[in-house]
Amino acid sequence: MKVVILGAGVIGVTSAYYLAKAGHEVTVLERQPGPALETSFANAGEVSPGYSSPWAAPGIPQKALKWLFMKHAPLILQPRADLATWRWMLAMLANCTAARYAVNKGRMVRIAEYSRDCLIALRAETGIAYDERMQGTLEVFRTQRQLDNIGKDIEVLKKDGVPFEVLDRAGCVAAEPGLAGSAQKIVGGLRLPGDETGDCFLFTQALSKLAEGLGVTFRYGVDIRRITHSAGRVLAVETATGEVRGDAYVAALGSYAPALLAPLGLRLPIYPVKGYSITVPIVDEARAPVSTVMDEAHKVAITRLGDRIRVGGMAEIAGFNFDLPPARRATLEHSVEDLFGGAGDQSRATFWTGLRPMTPDGTPIIGATRYPNLFLNGGHGTLGWTMSCGSGRLLADLVSGAKPDIDSAEFALSRYA
């Protein structure tokens, strides 16, 4: 079967790889000159199934009000009058209940755990390298109240069989020796030993080459204009250089999918939540993290990538905005310097922003639409890298008509009907 994939971020490329492995003839259309040059370019670098949690959680509305007045706030609201922003925010607030949080986190952990297993198998099969490390994630808490509130997360981890350790201050330093100089600033942590780290950009670039070896055609610099359809089926993708036709189509366009699919009568509840990162060269090994440390107070991930530290985080509701305000950089610098002071050279750090395609419930949308030959793979929010291989494998099974390894119904667009 001829499959056309729209988008060459980590989700589009993993979809292409697994579809090619399943025997399909795959073409990928991408407006950038190469793969992983937008949201997948400089994310936090963590492959963290155990830390997969929706932003919509009990207490978030109250916390959001406090965050508005914080200097280093994890959530930033830029006033906007457009209907899409308010519709998405209201839908997210509706998911801020204990019952919805448990359901949504369970879904996210399941696809993320499956994805980590797929990544392990892929690595073993291909030898793909991407500054990977398999040394877990440590979420550190600066207050006893934060530590006391992890009960609901632990319940989900236990239910899904995800290994974890609750650590005191000394245990955190034992896991991450670079925290020794800031140990007095934390009270404890939650360690997830099954988590991994790695450079999503390097991974996606390498996987695109492996996909090409399986016969996948990547067409870069292609401006996608619209999707044509008739009699309930997609006919073609119109580009600036002509039509591209296939038997099946996969939209893996992240935050840009809703606008492209709206003329087809498909409403995707995906919003471009802005995130930031800095990449800092390491100058003192002893002070640097060995894996990923989550600074719960600021919702910032500090990740070791080879000889660099990637610091990523924050959620800014600002629409399609790519500004790089110094205040956001200051938050990232504060978090890493406060916990791993002197580990990196901030004067040589690079500053980046990307638009995370987030759904109101935090769970991605993977699977069919009412058009039988049009499929979706998007809405992964902050966890596209974590969920990429499992999402690509699941999508390939659904397109191929094969029975997936995990239940696919809970990721369908129909849950928003």
Side-chain angles (χ1 to χ4, degrees):
M1 181 161 52
K2 293 183 179 180
V3 183
V4 179
I5 298 177
L6 312 182
V10 69
I11 299 299
V13 172
T14 51
S15 298
Y17 177 82
Y18 285 108
L19 281 163
K21 288 281 288 184
H24 300 292
E25 181 183 335
V26 182
T27 298
V28 181
L29 307 181
E30 167 60 47
R31 67 179 180 177
Q32 296 291 348
L37 293 178
E38 294 196 28
T39 304
S40 301
F41 181 70
N43 64 20
E46 52 183 325
V47 179
S48 300
Y51 193 72
S52 297
S53 300
W55 278 79
I60 285 295
Q62 294 83 356
K63 290 179 181 179
L65 292 175
K66 295 179 182 178
W67 289 336
L68 291 177
F69 303 98
M70 284 176 57
K71 180 179 179 180
H72 298 298
L75 176 66
I76 304 101
L77 299 176
Q78 301 286 2
R80 297 183 62 80
D82 64 285
L83 182 60
T85 299
W86 289 105
R87 181 187 289 127
W88 185 87
M89 289 179 63
L90 288 172
M92 181 181 174
L93 288 172
N95 278 278
C96 291
T97 66
R100 293 305 307 164
Y101 180 86
V103 170
N104 295 333
K105 182 174 176 65
R107 290 171 172 171
M108 295 171 72
V109 168
R110 281 189 287 279
I111 184 65
E113 284 282 320
Y114 176 61
S115 187
R116 193 266 319 280
D117 293 344
C118 290
L119 175 59
I120 291 172
L122 174 65
R123 193 165 56 234
E125 180 181 347
T126 66
I128 191 170
Y130 46 92
D131 276 346
E132 69 278 6
R133 290 184 173 222
M134 284 65 76
Q135 293 173 257
T137 293
L138 175 64
E139 182 180 10
V140 296
F141 306 104
R142 294 174 182 261
T143 69
Q144 189 61 42
R145 184 175 181 180
Q146 290 174 345
L147 183 59
D148 292 341
N149 286 338
I150 64 175
K152 60 182 181 297
D153 290 333
I154 288 177
E155 288 179 12
V156 176
L157 295 175
K158 287 181 177 178
K159 180 181 177 182
D160 288 285
V162 180
F164 67 90
E165 302 168 332
V166 179
L167 305 177
D168 59 12
R169 179 180 294 152
C172 290
V173 174
E176 283 283 355
L179 290 172
S182 59
Q184 74 282 1
K185 298 176 182 179
I186 61 178
V187 299
L190 175 64
R191 183 169 181 267
L192 303 162
D195 287 1
E196 303 183 5
T197 61
D199 190 321
C200 181
F201 171 72
L202 293 180
F203 172 85
T204 309
Q205 292 263 320
L207 190 64
S208 69
K209 298 302 180 185
L210 292 173
E212 286 178 345
L214 295 174
V216 175
T217 298
F218 287 89
R219 293 180 54 185
Y220 299 115
V222 175
D223 182 19
I224 299 170
R225 292 183 171 175
R226 71 186 186 107
I227 295 174
T228 60
H229 61 97
S230 178
R233 293 183 64 86
V234 170
L235 298 180
V237 177
E238 284 192 9
T239 75
T241 55
E243 285 190 342
V244 180
R245 291 179 175 266
D247 303 308
Y249 302 81
V250 178
L253 289 167
S255 299
Y256 298 92
L260 183 69
L261 299 183
L264 280 69
L266 298 175
R267 178 181 290 179
L268 274 58
I270 294 174
Y271 188 83
V273 176
K274 191 178 182 184
Y276 297 89
S277 77
I278 55 174
T279 304
V280 190
I282 292 173
V283 294
D284 190 334
E285 281 279 332
R287 297 184 181 185
V290 298
S291 190
T292 289
V293 172
M294 287 295 308
D295 183 354
E296 172 60 21
H298 302 297
K299 302 289 187 184
V300 168
I302 304 167
T303 300
R304 176 68 170 269
L305 296 176
D307 59 357
R308 303 161 293 151
I309 303 172
R310 174 71 50 74
V311 189
M314 290 173 285
E316 184 171 332
I317 310 299
F320 289 87
N321 180 307
F322 289 93
D323 292 344
L324 288 166
R328 309 294 177 256
R329 179 172 185 155
T331 295
L332 300 173
E333 290 178 351
H334 168 75
S335 183
V336 67
E337 288 299 316
D338 203 39
L339 294 177
F340 297 96
D345 183 354
Q346 295 293 343
S347 69
R348 292 190 287 142
T350 55
F351 187 27
W352 173 87
T353 187
L355 302 179
R356 309 181 188 106
M358 293 189 73
T359 61
D361 60 10
T363 308
I365 302 170
I366 308 168
T369 68
R370 69 169 184 248
Y371 297 85
N373 64 336
L374 175 62
F375 297 81
L376 307 174
N377 197 357
H380 296 76
T382 61
L383 295 161
W385 176 206
T386 292
M387 298 178 174
S388 58
C389 287
S391 297
R393 174 67 184 276
L394 176 60
L395 186 280
D397 285 340
L398 294 172
V399 172
S400 303
K403 183 179 179 181
D405 294 328
I406 62 173
D407 180 18
S408 64
E410 58 189 1
F411 307 110
L413 177 62
S414 58
R415 73 180 187 270
Y416 291 106

